[in-house]
């Protein structure tokens, strides 16, 4: 029922990864957003922060519960999706749309762009086929 | 073995599955947490029109016999002595230390009394009642009462929202406008011998129908059908929680627990210390003249973050002053709000506090409660 896009990599923690020119764009899968329900709050690392594969790098909160976000790859955060942040530069964000993660998890709901420090880690991720079997 | 097999199902279970509800275990039952439209849409529907709830996991315990009223008076902290048959009252049931065993609704009928208890406390309260009955009714010149758990036989269907009366009126000959807030009548829905009660847990006007299990599906379908033009839809336990949270109705296990008195949980108004002996009266009696050290507050997050149950609360000077009991994004107000029990001293509307969220201090401010006032006919008194 949930959409799994071909050509992306996936993790057991239900994140997706798209790799272009040494930069990974990551988000959570359609299956994950469906399980969480209405998403209302997201905490992400800032550009310049280092993240490590398999370690917590943020939090995704639905109405009911908070879930950790694990980084599927290691590297430096080059961009965080501003639409998912309640506050930008200390000010209320008028373009705050956490619901993008529900409505468009592989598109407008993307979360981070990470410059890969260990590109070989990609090989440990799941293919779309493998991920479909998991869910 | 498959765990799911061991869980109980309400009479409406198939209806929830057919509606593609997200089902999860709650208090031993498989219950609908949310339907495909999601908690926020469900919440908004109840606030703007009406929603239909299956609450059949809740417990109904009847007390019958000549001494039934005296026994109930001894067990509950509120006072039913002046209550007429056909009336409902909200009350904490306290332990001997003054903590809250459960909060219940008491239905006073001509020949018996029914207590509606929290699903998760059903067995605990039933045992508590049996134990108290044994002692109370063994006293000289008293006769025993019959304490009967009817939970497995009864379904509860609630219709809540500003359009609840209009919708339900289409399917019952009973004149609903004559049923006052916190009163009930017998019968009248789909030839079923149930109860129609003007009560609820959402902050909106509405009714709770107590009906035999075998009638539940027909009533559910009939009411849903009657409400189609109003957009009436089933609502899961997720939205039930956000609705009660905005209305500041306490929830056992969150605001209420066995170690916290009603006066610290914002329901001191439901304790009648002037009444004859009841369990918990001795330790609570001091609150006639003194304020409890802790009180319940509502707060709004001033910086990004959602407070959740058990997060610690600090004052502006950095001293730990209490604990969050419930916290959520508020679908009606579009803000992150919370309820907490904190040391009373120096805390009033407008006070700046901090909530520790994942090791970080996030500023919040004490605000007025309830957060949201809905269409409910008469708001409960609020002592604080």
């Amino acid at each position: 029922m949930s959409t799994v896009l071909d050509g992306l990599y996936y993790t057991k923690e239900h994140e997706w990864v798209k790799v272009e020119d040494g930069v990974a764009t990551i988000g959570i899968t359609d299956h994950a957003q469906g399980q969480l329900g209405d998403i209302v709050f997201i905490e992400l690392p800032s550009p310049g922060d280092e993240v490590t594969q398999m370690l917590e790098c943020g939090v995704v909160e639905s109405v009911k519960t908070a879930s950790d976000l694990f980084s599927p790859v290691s590297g430096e955060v080059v961009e965080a999706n501003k639409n998912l942040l309640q506050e930008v530069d200390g000010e209320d964000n008028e373009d705050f749309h956490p619901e993008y993660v529900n409505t468009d998890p592989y598109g407008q709901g993307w979360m981070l762009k990470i410059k890969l420090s260990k590109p070989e880690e990609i090989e440990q991720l799941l293919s779309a086929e493998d991920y479909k079997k998991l869910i | 073995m498959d765990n799911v097999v061991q869980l109980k199902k309400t009479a409406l279970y198939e209806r929830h599955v057919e509606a593609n509800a997200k089902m999860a275990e709650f208090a031993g039952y498989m219950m609908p947490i949310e339907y495909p439209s999601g908690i926020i849409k469900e919440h908004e529907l109840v606030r703007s029109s009406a929603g239909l709830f299956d609450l059949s996991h809740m417990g109904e315990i009847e007390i019958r016999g000549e001494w039934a009223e005296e026994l109930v008076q001894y067990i509950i902290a509120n006072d039913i002595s002046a209550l007429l048959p056909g009336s409902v009252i909200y009350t904490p049931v306290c332990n001997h230390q003054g903590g809250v065993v459960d909060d219940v609704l008491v239905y006073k009928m001509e020949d018996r009394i029914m207590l509606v208890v929290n699903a998760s406390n059903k067995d605990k309260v039933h045992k508590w009642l049996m134990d108290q009955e044994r002692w109370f009714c063994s006293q000289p010149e008293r006769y025993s009462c019959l304490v009967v758990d009817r939970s497995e036989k009864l379904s509860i269907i609630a219709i809540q929202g500003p359009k609840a009366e209009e919708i339900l009126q289409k399917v019952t000959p009973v004149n609903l406008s004559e049923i006052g807030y916190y009163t009930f009548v017998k019968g009248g829905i789909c030839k079923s011998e149930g109860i129609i009660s003007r009560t609820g847990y959402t902050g909106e006007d509405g009714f709770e129908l107590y009906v035999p299990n075998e009638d539940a599906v027909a009533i559910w379908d009939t009411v849903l059908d009657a409400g189609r033009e109003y957009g009436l839809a089933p609502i899961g336990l997720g939205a039930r929680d956000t609705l009660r949270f905005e209305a500041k109705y306490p929830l056992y296990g969150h605001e209420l627990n066995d170690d916290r008195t009603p006066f610290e949980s914002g329901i001191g108004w439901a304790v009648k210390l002037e009444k004859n002996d009841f369990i918990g009266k001795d330790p609570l009696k001091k609150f006639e003249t003194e304020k409890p050290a802790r009180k319940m507050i509502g707060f709004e997050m001033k910086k990004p973050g959602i407070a959740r149950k058990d997060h610690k609360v600090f004052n502006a000077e950095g001293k730990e002053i209490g604990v969050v009991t419930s916290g959520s994004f508020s679908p009606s107000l579009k803000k992150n709000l919370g309820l907490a029990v904190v040391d009373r001293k120096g805390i009033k509307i407008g006070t700046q506090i901090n909530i520790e969220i994942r090791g970080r201090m996030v500023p919040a401010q004490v605000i007025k409660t309830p957060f949201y006032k809905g269409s409910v006919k008469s708001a409960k008194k609020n002592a604080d």
Side-chain angles (χ1 to χ4, degrees):
Chain A
M1 285 207 303
S2 306
T3 305
V4 177
L5 295 186
D6 289 332
L8 303 185
Y9 297 97
Y10 295 87
T11 69
K12 289 192 178 108
E13 285 76 30
H14 308 287
E15 285 111 8
W16 58 264
V17 183
K18 184 177 165 187
V19 183
E20 284 170 315
D21 303 328
V23 173
T25 303
I26 73 156
I28 65 169
T29 64
D30 188 35
H31 174 78
Q33 70 78 20
Q35 291 292 311
L36 287 167
D38 293 334
I39 287 161
V40 293
F41 183 78
I42 295 153
E43 223 170 71
L44 296 172
S46 306
D49 289 352
E50 291 287 334
V51 295
T52 307
Q53 188 179 40
M54 303 305 288
L55 292 188
E56 278 173 50
C57 69
V59 175
V60 180
E61 298 202 36
S62 65
V63 177
K64 285 195 69 63
T65 183
S67 309
D68 289 326
L69 179 70
F70 294 90
S71 185
V73 293
S74 304
E76 183 191 327
V77 176
V78 289
E79 197 183 343
N81 184 351
K82 285 204 169 78
N83 286 137
L84 306 188
L85 301 174
Q86 191 185 330
E87 213 172 57
V88 174
D89 302 326
E91 300 289 329
D92 271 344
N93 180 6
E94 287 183 9
D95 294 316
F96 178 47
H97 292 290
E99 75 279 6
Y100 282 172
V101 179
N102 294 117
T103 56
D104 191 10
Y106 300 109
Q108 285 178 301
W110 70 274
M111 292 181 176
L112 296 171
K113 291 186 195 295
I114 300 164
K115 191 170 187 307
L116 297 174
S117 61
K118 294 178 183 164
E120 68 278 10
E121 284 175 349
I122 297 296
E123 287 161 28
Q124 298 161 27
L125 302 176
L126 305 173
S127 67
E129 281 311 306
D130 292 339
Y131 183 65
K132 275 181 202 163
K133 283 178 206 150
L134 186 74
I135 61 172
Chain B
M1 241 176 80
D2 192 353
N3 263 337
V4 176
V5 178
Q6 324 239 345
L7 292 171
K8 291 185 223 169
K9 293 172 180 174
T10 72
L12 296 162
Y13 174 83
E14 297 297 337
R15 285 290 181 268
H16 306 317
V17 172
E18 285 160 16
N20 287 316
K22 207 179 281 177
M23 305 295 290
E25 189 272 340
F26 186 82
Y29 282 83
M30 282 303 278
M31 296 299 292
I33 303 304
E34 59 180 295
Y35 296 83
S37 67
I39 292 176
I40 294 176
K41 287 256 160 49
E42 290 172 30
H43 180 113
E44 289 168 349
L45 181 63
V46 176
R47 291 274 181 252
S48 65
S49 182
L52 200 62
F53 301 72
D54 176 13
L55 308 175
S56 307
H57 59 311
M58 294 189 70
E60 300 88 5
I61 299 172
E62 279 187 3
I63 296 119
R64 303 178 208 162
E66 202 184 325
W67 281 84
E69 180 165 331
E70 284 78 5
L71 173 63
V72 172
Q73 281 285 73
Y74 174 65
I75 285 162
I76 67 170
N78 210 330
D79 187 356
I80 59 166
S81 59
L83 210 61
L84 297 171
S87 301
V88 189
I89 207 167
Y90 170 84
T91 182
V93 171
C94 290
N95 58 33
H96 291 284
Q97 292 73 45
V100 177
V101 174
D102 198 13
D103 63 332
V104 308
L105 289 183
V106 182
Y107 282 74
K108 193 166 180 179
M109 302 177 183
E110 295 285 353
D111 60 343
R112 65 191 68 179
I113 291 167
M114 179 173 80
L115 304 187
V116 180
V117 309
N118 276 302
S120 50
N121 284 337
K122 193 157 45 185
D123 295 339
K124 180 178 85 165
V125 174
H126 186 224
K127 183 177 183 302
W128 177 257
L129 288 173
M130 303 276 276
D131 290 347
Q132 302 317 317
E133 192 272 343
R134 210 162 295 137
W135 179 83
F136 186 81
C137 295
S138 67
Q139 299 304 297
E141 293 175 45
R142 286 182 189 159
Y143 300 100
S144 64
C145 300
L146 197 57
V147 178
V148 187
D149 185 351
R150 295 203 62 214
S151 310
E152 304 281 311
K153 302 243 185 314
L154 288 177
S155 295
I156 307 181
I157 296 171
I159 179 166
Q160 298 276 300
K163 300 291 182 194
E165 182 178 325
E166 240 174 283
I167 296 168
L168 196 62
Q169 192 62 77
K170 289 171 69 181
V171 299
T172 175
V174 174
N175 185 350
L176 295 177
S177 67
E178 286 174 3
I179 304 178
Y181 187 57
Y182 267 60
T183 67
F184 66 95
V185 299
K186 276 189 180 169
I189 302 277
C190 295
K191 298 174 190 150
S192 179
E193 47 171 276
I195 284 172
I196 308 175
S197 163
R198 192 169 216 134
T199 46
Y201 193 51
T202 59
E204 299 298 334
D205 186 24
F207 300 87
E208 290 172 316
L209 315 174
Y210 296 81
V211 300
N213 285 343
E214 53 271 26
D215 299 334
V217 170
I219 292 173
W220 180 265
D221 291 347
T222 304
V223 177
L224 260 185
D225 205 42
R228 193 142 299 161
E229 59 184 301
Y230 299 85
L232 180 71
I235 310 295
L237 295 183
R240 179 171 155 86
D241 190 42
T242 53
L243 289 158
R244 73 92 199 163
F245 167 72
E246 287 182 346
K248 200 205 181 189
Y249 292 157
L251 174 60
Y252 184 86
H254 285 247
E255 285 67 40
L256 309 175
N257 66 40
D258 298 74
D259 303 318
R260 200 179 279 150
T261 72
F263 292 92
E264 298 163 298
S265 318
I267 56 166
W269 60 269
V271 179
K272 299 293 150 60
L273 290 168
E274 64 280 8
K275 140 181 132 157
N276 281 344
D277 192 30
F278 65 91
I279 298 173
K281 184 176 179 179
D282 286 343
L284 295 177
K285 204 153 173 42
K286 63 180 180 194
F287 296 122
E288 258 177 341
T289 50
E290 72 180 75
K291 285 185 169 176
R294 295 179 294 174
K295 67 172 176 181
M296 188 160 115
I297 56 158
F299 62 86
E300 175 188 340
M301 300 306 299
K302 302 306 277 184
K303 282 286 178 185
I306 300 179
R308 301 285 187 182
K309 179 176 182 268
D310 297 333
H311 285 171
K312 290 174 179 170
V313 183
F314 293 79
N315 67 14
E317 287 75 47
K319 181 174 172 266
E320 188 176 330
I321 55 166
V323 65
V324 175
T325 54
S326 294
S328 178
F329 171 75
S330 157
S332 302
L333 298 160
K334 310 281 176 214
K335 290 173 175 173
N336 295 329
L337 305 176
L339 296 171
V341 173
V342 299
D343 297 340
R344 170 179 298 275
K345 206 164 163 267
I347 298 292
K348 53 181 192 291
I349 304 298
T351 303
Q352 304 291 322
I353 55 174
N354 288 299
I355 313 297
E356 189 182 295
I357 303 178
R358 293 182 285 276
R360 225 157 28 87
M361 288 294 175
V362 184
Q365 185 174 33
V366 180
I367 63 169
K368 272 178 77 169
T369 54
F371 302 124
Y372 185 91
K373 278 191 183 138
S375 57
V376 64
K377 290 294 174 194
S378 152
K380 281 175 197 161
K381 276 183 287 172
N382 217 322
D384 222 315

